[in-house]
Amino acid sequence: MKAFIKTLFGLACGLLAIGNANAQSHQWKFVTTGEGSTYAIEKDGSLWAWGWNESGQLGIGGGDTKISVPTKVGTDNNWKSAVAGQSYAFFIKEDGTLWAAGDNTKGVQGVGDGMGHKIPTQIGTDNNWKSVSVSRFFGHTAIGLKTDGTLWAWGEGETGALGLGNYANQTVPKQIGTDKDWASVTIGDHSTLALKTDGTLWGWGWNNNGTLCNLPSHVKTPTQIGTDHDWVEVFAVSTSAYGIKADGSLWVWGAADNNVLGLNDEEITKQKTPAKITTISEKVVFISGYRNGRVVGVGANGVATKVYVWGTNEDGALGNGTGVAADNPGGGITFTGVPVQTKLPEGTKITQLSSGEAYTIVLTDDGKLYGWGKNRGGQLGDHSSEAQMLFSTLPIPAGEKAKEEQDVFTFDAKNIPSSLKSAKQLILTGEWGTADFAALTAAIGNNSGFPPAGNNTIEKVDMSQATIKSGTSLHVAYGIGSVGTFQGCKALKEFVMPTKSEAAHFTSFRAAFQNCNKLEAIDMTGCTNLTNLTDAFFGCTTLKICDLSSCSKITSSESLFDHCEAMEEVKLPSKIVLQKYAFGSCLKLKQIDWEAYEGTQAPDFAKDLFQYVTDFKAIRLIVPDAAYDSFAAHADWSKFTLVKASTAGIGNTPANQTFAPGKVYNLSGQYITTVNSEKDLNNLPQGVYILHGRKVIVR
């Protein structure tokens, strides 16, 4: 089975052999992330881990290097907290003892025996540990805070980030100075920041990137930064840092590579004093981040109701439904310097937030976990098979086995699932050509029988993130025949085109949407190079309007709208060859807008062009003034209610019509919103819309 990416919900995984103990439903009380490993504690005090395990950092005794199934760490049920770095982790028990697992480079485990332990191993005998901070993405430095307010350091000391007054490595915890009023500590790539109980900010280590603000370039012991006394939280991430003040405001400083500071100022390369992030007006309660991204939670009283993310969007790190694959960056949003709101389930209340490398996990007040972003080591804990460990562009339940059937599939052309017969939504990313759409056609079940078997589940196809190869067709070969890619998708209601510049690469939609009898609208305005629309919308019985005004290269149109029984309005381009059955059985057709027609003489009227249509006077045909007389003199075109373009206006706007709720479209046929009252309609921006097949002006 080819790899694919899960977005909203999961699917049956290839790890069903995992014992029942690992497949249970969890009630979580704590969560944290390392670079690519996740750790969570259940309300019963048991410790669980998943994700990357190449150095044994999960604490489960080695085994697979990638684990997507939450796996219990030992048998103890008295765990309190955890923290993780690149390939190592620390754990604190309720009794205040400190434990370590994973890589032991530079003595970072703090055990002092030079070994890398793959199960939690106690550090010393002290039982008054409160918290630990580590260099999560680069380096092997650890600093612990004890309940008596003292700080202790171990691991890599080459940058002075240990704060011990030297550059030596330290294999066991050693106290930093003698102060007993430390409140918290955080470690970046080469520097350390800490807060004291009086709200002052302190730092030490390297300061080449301004992480220590205006302190010297090398600081080996704790040194106060500024004079403010209202800091409540600080977080160092890579070569920058940000903090929260008592009023809930968010401040940032350090290296500004790629505008990652969130100040929305590309001229800034280094911020050496704390600067307020004004793009977030709400009170900030949680801060986290990763090398090229930042994550904050806003709310009140220790509970966040929204999450904002900025920075890289590789592997869907923003969590807003967009994103590009880290190994195939084609299309989509790749980076933003402005905070973007993550699309969490409505009503989510977050009590904890933690980010690893391009992924984030949040804990809710009801003991659930949601995660999004990178999942290439199984760090979202969704029970996916190794082939499925890619990424999620939207928050999904984390630390739980997902639904047996997946609803939403996000994938590129290189990773098309072998079967999409149960899918409800497809999100296409990366680059696509005719051969790729042929493979997609097979996956959705359109590759056998005549007419093709079709698909009864897919409700939406979203190509907004896809790029299209030049000369691409949605009419593809199968066996000894051919078929439209989405032909017979009987549940398909919504089709989101690629950007207009990408849609211009399509050349054929022959039979592409044939018998998609629930398709309500489609935006054709970007399809400027289409030549073949034969059977394109045959049997689309709910399609009411279609704007083809941008498609001026159509030479094949036989049965274009044949049996579009609900069709009310069509807009034609300057050039089009209209062939037989193009409007066959369009019995509700009210208007053909051919204002763009470039000729002065009426075109040929193909035999059976309007097969089974008898009341031509019910159809309003708008033509350019220069061609009006020719149309009026034509034996067939004269049967229509002809209207000069200069006088067409908005003549079909309903007058004194009783309002009825319904879906609103723009003049290109794109769905805008649903209105339930006249007030809803009048609240739309000024313009012309389509409601119930009629034009409506909002002034």
Side-chain angles (χ1 to χ4, degrees), residues 454-468:
N455 179 286
N456 295 312
T457 62
I458 297 172
E459 298 175 357
K460 180 179 180 180
V461 176
D462 186 345
M463 290 190 186
S464 60
Q465 302 177 51
T467 58
I468 308 299

Side-chain angles (χ1 to χ4, degrees), residues 31 157 194 290 546 592:
V31 70
Y290 41 94
C546 190
I592 299 174

Side-chain angles (χ1 to χ4, degrees), residues 509-512 532-537 556-560 579:
F509 275 9
R510 182 183 175 186
N532 194 334
L533 284 180
T534 292
D535 291 324
F537 303 107
S556 299
S557 65
E558 184 176 324
S559 296
L560 167 57
Q579 298 174 318

Side-chain angles (χ1 to χ4, degrees), residues 420-691:
L420 291 166
K421 293 181 180 180
S422 65
K424 289 186 177 181
Q425 182 175 341
L426 310 182
I427 302 175
L428 309 189
T429 64
E431 188 177 45
W432 290 77
T434 303
D436 306 312
F437 283 111
L440 178 62
T441 303
I444 64 179
N446 275 357
N447 61 332
S448 63
F450 187 85
N455 179 286
N456 295 312
T457 62
I458 297 172
E459 298 175 357
K460 180 179 180 180
V461 176
D462 186 345
M463 290 190 186
S464 60
Q465 302 177 51
T467 58
I468 308 299
K469 296 178 181 177
S470 181
T472 294
S473 172
L474 291 185
H475 186 254
V476 300
Y478 81 95
I480 59 173
S482 56
V483 65
T485 298
F486 302 101
Q487 184 173 346
C489 288
K490 300 176 182 63
L492 184 62
K493 296 179 181 179
E494 185 178 358
F495 190 89
V496 183
M497 282 286 188
T499 63
K500 291 183 178 180
S501 61
E502 296 299 328
H505 295 144
F506 286 122
T507 55
S508 176
F509 275 9
R510 182 183 175 186
F513 305 97
Q514 184 173 348
N515 293 326
C516 292
N517 52 23
K518 289 189 178 180
L519 186 65
E520 297 177 349
I522 188 165
D523 182 6
M524 300 288 288
T525 56
C527 302
T528 54
N529 289 304
L530 283 177
T531 61
N532 194 334
L533 284 180
T534 292
D535 291 324
F537 303 107
F538 180 104
C540 291
T541 54
T542 55
L543 188 65
K544 289 186 176 182
I545 59 175
C546 190
D547 184 351
L548 298 178
S549 59
S550 299
C551 309
S552 58
K553 297 182 179 181
I554 305 300
T555 56
S556 299
S557 65
E558 184 176 324
S559 296
L560 167 57
F561 296 117
D562 199 0
H563 286 83
C564 289
E565 298 167 357
M567 181 65 73
E568 295 182 357
E569 188 170 340
V570 174
K571 194 171 185 178
L572 296 178
S574 59
K575 293 181 180 179
I576 185 171
V577 178
L578 292 176
Q579 298 174 318
K580 61 182 180 180
Y581 316 133
F583 296 97
S585 298
C586 292
L587 303 180
K588 293 186 178 180
L589 190 62
K590 296 177 181 178
Q591 178 170 290
I592 299 174
D593 185 344
W594 210 352
E595 179 182 350
Y597 180 65
E598 68 175 20
T600 58
Q601 299 297 312
D604 292 338
F605 194 95
K607 183 181 179 182
D608 293 326
L609 177 62
F610 287 84
Q611 188 181 40
Y612 304 125
V613 177
T614 57
D615 188 5
F616 293 105
K617 285 297 180 184
I619 303 174
R620 190 167 179 258
L621 176 59
I622 303 173
V623 298
D625 292 20
Y628 178 86
D629 290 341
S630 180
F631 274 85
H634 194 282
D636 294 302
W637 291 115
S638 62
K639 298 176 182 179
F640 295 80
T641 297
L642 293 173
V643 180
K644 290 183 179 180
S646 62
T647 62
I650 312 295
N652 65 334
T653 302
N656 302 318
Q657 181 178 321
T658 303
F659 175 85
K663 294 182 177 181
V664 178
Y665 302 86
N666 64 18
L667 294 181
S668 298
Q670 293 174 289
Y671 171 74
I672 302 298
T673 187
T674 298
V675 293
N676 297 306
S677 65
E678 288 189 69
K679 182 179 180 181
D680 291 344
L681 183 62
N682 292 328
N683 283 336
L684 292 174
Q686 292 182 353
V688 182
Y689 302 92
I690 302 294
L691 177 64

